[in-house]
Amino acid sequence: MTLPDNTQGDSGRDVNSTAILKLVVAQASFIAALMFYVGLIYTNRYYRNFHLSPSSLGFGFSEYVVESLQVLSRPVLVAVVALLLLTSAPRFIRRLPLTSRVRRRAAAMWSTMAGQYWLVVTAGLVLFLLWPRIEPYWAAPATVAAGLLMGQSRTALRGRGQGLMERAVPLFAALAFLLLAITLLAGQLGDREAKQAARHVVRWPGVVLFSTERLSLTGPPGLKAEDLGPGTHLRYRYTGLRLLIERDDNYYVVPVGWNAATDSVYIFRENDTTRVELTPGVRWS
């Protein structure tokens, strides 16, 4: 029995919609996994400067994803756009609203440029040799990946067929170098942001700690202890502290003038014998 035409059309639209939905879900899952990985690397390197780890702080999947947004700076966005252009150049040129003659010229120009991809790959390998002396470190693997993608873009533009190994190996290598670049970038930014934050501890939210017992807190001269008298339940007050992070009612605190190499990070939890009050940090114009 032959189905009506409209039924066949509806079935075709359903199939197309399902395929599009699967593609969107797959891409969204990949992006979420990549953001999780970037956030994990970033937060590990950031909190390592404060003698902590995100696992001990109880970070979850969504928090790692949010932290990955810290990596999105202007140079990073420029590099991402450049890599996207390298991979989509053939398709972009074919769809330009130009005459066929101009389009052929544009394709020829790009093919000539992309034909020098080996120079870009060589430059990236040279950067690897100079690794201890260059910064940012992620420039070396990113350059190699860009060169490999240029070579594949040139092949796609010419429409030349290649075997699976001839295309799969360069693409796999490019993805491996990109992953290395992303890992180095996230780690470097985590270190840089942590060190910058540690230089301006005074800007963090202030912490006033009250305790029923005298605490053995040691640190820079800015850390002060005050005895409020024997008639006070929370007798001892400590000032000159700054809040690093608060997780699950645990307050991770450092003293003003904190030094990563010598000073400790204090961990307090509010209870019947301890109270924590927060004050604004110093604001600089």
Side-chain angles (χ1 to χ4, degrees):
M1 182 176 70
T2 304
L3 294 174
D5 291 342
N6 61 340
T7 304
Q8 292 177 350
D10 292 341
S11 176
R13 284 193 293 270
D14 290 341
V15 172
N16 292 335
S17 300
T18 302
I20 293 174
L21 179 61
K22 290 181 178 179
L23 179 62
V24 170
V25 171
Q27 291 181 343
S29 300
F30 172 77
I31 293 174
L34 181 61
M35 293 179 70
F36 168 78
Y37 175 76
V38 171
L40 178 64
I41 298 297
Y42 175 86
T43 52
N44 268 287
R45 293 291 292 272
Y46 183 93
Y47 285 105
R48 188 175 69 177
N49 287 271
F50 302 101
H51 322 306
L52 300 170
S53 69
S55 58
S56 65
L57 295 172
F59 274 67
F61 179 88
S62 60
E63 290 170 303
Y64 284 123
V65 170
V66 172
E67 287 295 324
S68 70
L69 299 178
Q70 302 290 339
V71 180
L72 295 180
S73 59
R74 181 178 298 178
V76 175
L77 293 177
V78 170
V80 170
V81 171
L83 289 174
L84 289 176
L85 290 176
L86 287 176
T87 56
S88 61
R91 183 179 301 176
F92 178 74
I93 291 175
R94 292 191 184 103
R95 295 186 177 182
L96 285 175
L98 303 172
T99 63
S100 58
R101 181 180 179 182
V102 176
R103 192 181 297 114
R104 285 195 299 270
R105 287 184 178 180
M109 291 177 58
W110 173 252
S111 180
T112 302
M113 292 176 55
Q116 307 303 314
Y117 72 93
W118 60 273
L119 291 176
V120 181
V121 174
T122 303
L125 295 177
V126 171
L127 289 177
F128 268 111
L129 297 177
L130 300 175
W131 201 328
R133 301 181 181 88
I134 64 170
E135 191 174 346
Y137 304 120
W138 56 271
T143 302
V144 174
L148 293 172
L149 291 175
M150 284 177 65
Q152 292 301 302
S153 174
R154 177 172 179 262
T155 300
L157 186 62
R158 289 186 170 185
R160 182 191 303 169
Q162 281 187 319
L164 177 62
M165 291 300 296
E166 294 175 335
R167 288 188 62 83
V169 171
L171 286 175
F172 178 80
L175 290 175
F177 280 109
L178 280 177
L179 183 60
L180 176 59
I182 291 171
T183 303
L184 293 173
L185 169 64
Q188 183 180 359
L189 289 180
D191 270 336
R192 188 180 70 184
E193 294 294 332
K195 291 173 181 177
Q196 183 177 357
R199 287 195 295 267
H200 303 287
V201 169
V202 70
R203 296 184 180 182
W204 301 1
V207 175
V208 180
L209 177 68
F210 295 87
S211 175
T212 58
E213 303 291 337
R214 186 183 296 275
L215 303 177
S216 299
L217 299 183
T218 58
L223 177 59
K224 298 179 180 179
E226 182 181 358
D227 187 348
L228 302 180
T232 306
H233 174 60
L234 297 171
R235 178 174 177 175
Y236 300 96
R237 179 171 63 186
Y238 296 86
T239 57
L241 300 168
R242 291 294 185 268
L243 178 67
L244 170 61
I245 189 174
E246 185 272 325
R247 301 286 299 181
D248 299 327
D249 295 328
N250 289 321
Y251 295 84
Y252 297 80
V253 175
V254 301
V256 174
W258 182 82
N259 188 310
T262 58
D263 297 333
S264 302
V265 175
Y266 305 121
I267 305 174
F268 300 109
R269 188 179 184 90
E270 279 196 317
N271 50 43
D272 293 337
T273 62
T274 305
R275 187 176 80 227
V276 176
E277 294 182 358
L278 301 181
T279 62
V282 175
R283 299 296 179 185
W284 295 350
S285 57

